[in-house]
Amino acid sequence: AQSVSQHNHHVILSEAASLELGCNYSYGGTVNLFWYVQYPGQHLQLLLKYFSGDPLVKGIKGFEAEFIKSKFSFNLRKPSVQWSDTAEYFCAVNERSVYNQGGKLIFGQGTELSVKP
Amino acid sequence: DTAVSQTPKYLVTQMGNDKSIKCEQNLGHDTMYWYKQDSKKFLKIMFSYNNKELIINETVPNRFSPKSPDKAHLNLHINSLELGDSAVYFCASSQASPADSQETQYFGPGTRLLVL
């Protein structure tokens, strides 16, 4: 069965520190990859996505992620975090196959990011 | 101008009761979803509908019954609520068709259900 693993459950950083959140998935076929963010008390919002092409994708708010197919990874990065980046971050995958009717997303368990001012 | 809206935002109820959560999207999308987020923040899909037709039905107890009166609405009815049903339920929508997974899903604000 497919799964998505986020290695860090809780990350605490000071403002201006660099961020990297790990995400690995287990699926041998072609996938679409997503990072969502959930700010406190709010709904999930899309940060960025990868479908094909350049494996380095840029999203909103200065976030980027790199798809490394050989490592089954899609790590999220930001060079300098701000206090307002405090949130829960979710990596998600869906398989691009005729068996995935309707695009079921498989989510990782989330990483809580706390940024200290 | 909320794209995906859910009501109610909070729901506190007793074990054994029946309750419904409503979801509406104004994005013109064809596909809608229900996800459950447990106490450890794990998000798992429950159902997906495309143009009012059930597409995905994960291993969810049959006490949970989705209903899609039209493609802009997907409601979730839960019978005989149990303590383990306490969670946050998220509705989402996308432009994906059954054969197409390359569409972003847009999420609603969530409904926090607490069963006592």
Side-chain angles (χ1 to χ4, degrees):
Chain A
Q2 301 164 53
S3 65
V4 179
S5 176
Q6 292 180 239
H7 318 297
N8 316 102
H9 293 294
H10 192 187
V11 172
I12 303 173
L13 295 172
S14 297
E15 274 196 317
S18 64
L19 169 73
E20 180 158 3
L21 301 182
C23 173
N24 286 87
Y25 64 93
S26 65
Y27 177 66
T30 306
V31 294
N32 303 312
L33 298 151
F34 305 82
W35 274 97
Y36 281 87
V37 61
Q38 187 177 24
Y39 297 104
Q42 296 190 26
H43 61 281
L44 281 92
Q45 301 171 43
L46 182 70
L47 265 183
L48 46 79
K49 62 188 177 186
Y50 172 80
F51 289 161
S52 62
D54 188 344
L56 184 63
V57 291
K58 296 196 184 297
I60 60 171
K61 306 188 181 188
F63 285 92
E64 65 177 32
E66 186 175 11
F67 171 49
I68 303 180
K69 190 174 179 180
S70 60
K71 294 185 178 180
F72 299 90
S73 71
F74 190 55
N75 291 355
L76 181 71
R77 300 195 290 249
K78 186 170 183 177
S80 174
V81 294
Q82 300 170 317
W83 176 78
S84 57
D85 293 325
T86 294
E88 189 89 20
Y89 291 81
F90 292 93
C91 181
V93 171
N94 64 22
E95 60 175 281
R96 237 189 287 165
S97 119
V98 295
Y99 299 107
N100 186 18
Q101 302 282 298
K104 174 175 74 174
L105 276 176
I106 307 294
F107 281 89
Q109 65 269 47
T111 297
E112 183 182 350
L113 173 64
S114 300
V115 180
K116 298 183 292 184
Chain B
D1 259 41
T2 308
V4 183
S5 59
Q6 294 179 228
T7 52
K9 196 170 180 181
Y10 299 97
L11 186 52
V12 181
T13 188
Q14 300 285 333
M15 259 181 16
N17 284 351
D18 303 339
K19 290 292 177 188
S20 291
I21 307 171
K22 296 186 177 182
C23 177
E24 176 181 2
Q25 54 95 3
N26 61 7
L27 297 166
H29 287 166
D30 292 328
T31 305
M32 295 183 74
Y33 311 80
W34 277 110
Y35 287 84
K36 179 180 179 180
Q37 186 179 44
D38 64 22
S39 57
K40 295 185 179 177
K41 303 227 172 162
F42 223 128
L43 270 155
K44 193 168 184 320
I45 191 159
M46 300 172 70
F47 302 103
S48 161
Y49 269 73
N50 176 266
N51 276 319
K52 304 194 297 173
E53 184 183 339
L54 181 66
I55 301 298
I56 296 172
N57 184 352
E58 292 292 288
T59 49
V60 176
N62 57 15
R63 297 182 295 104
F64 290 78
S65 52
K67 285 190 173 46
S68 182
D70 55 62
K71 74 175 195 176
H73 296 84
L74 180 61
N75 304 325
L76 184 64
H77 189 75
I78 316 170
N79 289 328
S80 304
L81 277 154
E82 299 178 358
L83 294 176
D85 297 332
S86 295
V88 182
Y89 292 85
F90 286 98
C91 177
S93 75
S94 80
Q95 196 48 52
S97 64
D100 171 17
S101 61
Q102 286 194 17
E103 291 291 340
T104 301
Q105 293 183 24
Y106 296 85
F107 285 78
T111 295
R112 283 146 185 81
L113 171 65
L114 178 59
V115 182
L116 303 173

